[in-house]
């Protein structure tokens, strides 16, 4: 069996979370955001799991989009940053990728491009995040220009919200007002909502949602939020105990001797480290689960191993299962302990960690899936 580190991916949880997004905004369609290898969950597997029901997919770049096409994903795929070089336009047209246009230089390039067929464009407004997007004063003109181009088929109007994860922030309403003013009277569908806006800002729902993190079952909020509590975690990161030792008060553990035992301690070593993507900056005290019981990380995380306190778990043995986040240990809690967000944890899981897909409950084939009379919101019994 070899090294036991693995990330178990629950594809039914991802389907549940996608359906939750859609149910919160009945009437809206939803682009499932599967950039960065579906936030570390495996873009091809996630696209296949959602293929019968997702309205479209979104990725960051053409390489990610082509990987999906090569795997047989035929649904529309939105490129969230559009093209980086003019040479990509030919592939975009051939593959019928949907293309974000966020800057004047892209419009110039599109004007002179010779395309085999017109492309669908998502015209992005900079409503206040100031990363990419057309300036509000220029938005209407940009729309008119694109509408008149033979290279352009349909247009969706979009912007991205900087602070939707903060329910107290006035920025979201300011950005939405900016968008509504800049786009007033333009006849095209609208897309504003990322995960936090899908969960908590109904005024941002409009025609197309763009949920990412919520599909994978982590909350985009740092506080509790009722809709976020309905998400199901998709990734469970696990490994096993590979050694156990008894240590005395004053003994140190790991690199830098950063942890010193203050009591007679039973310490387990686990095959998991920052080479797997478990964060090196996780502090002593970060929770882990052993055989369904909580204990804590002690000492520094090394590349391939880390240490955990088994003093209060005398029954724990070499070979026992350790969960780092997932079904039984919310990833948001781990992110808090590490001073980061769940996004960095899941995208950071390295290639060394095999993804094991749990799709045994609902068959992966579309026919079998459609034929099931299963409710989206109810957990499906394992029997
Ligand atoms: C990544 C991304 C999203 C998804 O954001 P989440 O917070 O993960 O839901 C939506 N829109 C754009 C433009 C993005 O780049």
């Amino acid at each position: 069996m070899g090294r036991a580190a693995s990330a178990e991916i629950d594809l039914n949880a991802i389907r549940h979370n996608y359906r939750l997004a859609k149910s919160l905004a009945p009437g809206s369609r939803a682009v499932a955001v599967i950039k960065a290898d579906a936030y570390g969950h495996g873009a091809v597997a996630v696209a296949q799991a959602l293929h019968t029901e997702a309205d479209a997919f979104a990725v960051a770049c053409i390489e990610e989009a082509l990987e999906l096409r090569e795997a047989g994903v035929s649904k529309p795929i939105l490129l969230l940053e559009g093209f980086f070089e003019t040479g990509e336009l030919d592939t975009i047209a051939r593959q019928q990728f949907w293309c974000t246009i966020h800057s004047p230089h892209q419009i110039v390039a599109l004007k002179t491009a010779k395309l085999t067929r017109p492309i669908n464009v998502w015209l992005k407004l900079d409503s206040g995040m100031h990363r990419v997007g057309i300036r509000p004063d220029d938005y209407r003109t940009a729309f008119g220009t694109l509408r008149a181009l033979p290279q352009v088929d349909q247009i969706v109007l979009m912007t991205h919200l900087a602070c939707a994860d903060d329910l107290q922030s006035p920025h979201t309403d300011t950005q939405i007002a900016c968008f509504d003013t800049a786009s007033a009277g333009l006849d095209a569908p609208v897309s504003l909502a990322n995960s936090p806006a899908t969960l908590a800002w109904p005024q941002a729902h409009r025609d197309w949602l763009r949920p990412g993190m919520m599909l994978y079952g982590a909350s985009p909020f740092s506080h509790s939020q009722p809709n976020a509590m309905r998400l199901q975690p998709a990734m469970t990161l696990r490994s096993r105990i590979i050694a156990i030792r008894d240590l005395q008060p004053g003994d140190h553990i790991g690199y830098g001797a950063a942890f010193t035992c203050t009591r007679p301690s039973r310490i387990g070593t686990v095959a998991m480290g920052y080479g797997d993507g478990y964060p090196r900056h996780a502090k002593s005290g970060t929770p882990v689960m052993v055989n369904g019981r909580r204990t804590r990380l002690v000492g520094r995380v090394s590349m391939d191993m880390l240490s955990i306190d088994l003093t209060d778990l005398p029954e724990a043995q070499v070979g026992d299962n350790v969960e780092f986040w997932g079904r039984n240990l919310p990833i948001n809690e781990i992110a808090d302990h590490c001073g980061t967000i769940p996004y960095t944890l899941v995208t950071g899981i390295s290639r060394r960690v095999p993804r094991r897909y749990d799709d045994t409950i609902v068959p992966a084939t579309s026919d079998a899936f459609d034929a099931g009379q299963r409710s989206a919101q109810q957990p499906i019994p394992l029997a």
Side-chain angles (χ1 to χ4, degrees), residues 155-221:
I155 304 176
V156 175
L157 309 175
M158 79 183 289
T159 196
H160 196 49
L161 301 170
C163 302
D165 59 327
D166 179 357
L167 300 179
Q168 311 305 321
S169 170
H171 277 96
T172 300
D173 282 327
T174 306
Q175 282 194 265
I176 293 173
C178 171
F179 176 85
D180 285 338
T181 303
S183 65
L186 303 183
D187 180 24
V190 167
S191 177
L192 310 181
N194 53 6
S195 295
T198 298
L199 291 162
W201 298 87
Q203 62 271 53
H205 284 168
R206 311 295 172 99
D207 302 291
W208 281 96
L209 311 169
R210 304 190 308 271
M213 189 74 250
M214 70 173 288
L215 299 178
Y216 311 104
S219 171
F221 306 105

Side-chain angles (χ1 to χ4, degrees), residues 1-61:
M1 177 188 99
R3 193 165 181 268
S6 72
E8 192 176 293
I9 311 295
D10 181 349
L11 295 172
N12 290 308
I14 295 173
R15 284 190 276 256
H16 164 89
N17 298 330
Y18 181 81
R19 290 168 195 159
L20 176 63
K22 297 256 300 198
S23 75
L24 294 171
S28 301
R29 287 182 282 175
V31 180
V33 179
I34 56 172
K35 61 190 176 186
D37 202 25
Y39 295 49
H41 295 66
V44 168
V46 171
Q48 285 168 347
L50 288 174
H51 206 252
T52 54
E53 53 193 300
D55 300 305
F57 296 105
V59 295
C61 58

Side-chain angles (χ1 to χ4, degrees), residues 23 28 60 84 150 164-165 188 195 223 226 233 238 242 257 263 270 278 359:
S23 75
S28 301
F84 298 82
D165 59 327
S195 295
H223 42 76
R238 331 175 167 281
I242 61 168
R263 57 175 179 171
V270 188
Y278 189 88
D359 199 20

